[in-house]
Amino acid sequence: MKSTGAITAKRTFLDIPNAAGLAGFSVRHFRRIIEEERIRIVPIGRKFFILGADFERWQASKKTRPS
């Protein structure tokens, strides 16, 4: 079975500070976005992560909404 880049991206985990940086927000503001928009987070140990697929889905939804 072939492995593609899209499949690999869906299995990645982003910690909150890295996801905030990729989105262009501060960590504090991005945590608020996570709460308000109910972005799914995964607790692993004492840290919280966002699935790469969920992050990409959130970004795509932001690009399609009218401002």
Side-chain angles (χ1 to χ4, degrees), residues 36-49:
E36 291 174 356
E37 299 189 19
R38 302 195 185 270
I39 299 172
R40 184 174 48 173
I41 56 172
V42 179
I44 299 177
R46 295 176 62 191
K47 294 189 177 190
F48 295 94
F49 297 88

Side-chain angles (χ1 to χ4, degrees), residues 4-50:
T4 63
I7 292 173
T8 306
K10 290 182 180 182
R11 293 185 180 173
T12 60
F13 290 95
L14 297 169
D15 62 348
I16 304 299
N18 284 333
L22 287 172
F25 296 109
S26 68
V27 174
R28 182 177 178 198
H29 184 72
F30 195 68
R31 286 182 188 274
R32 183 178 298 162
I33 290 171
I34 290 170
E35 280 187 35
E36 291 174 356
E37 299 189 19
R38 302 195 185 270
I39 299 172
R40 184 174 48 173
I41 56 172
V42 179
I44 299 177
R46 295 176 62 191
K47 294 189 177 190
F48 295 94
F49 297 88
I50 298 173

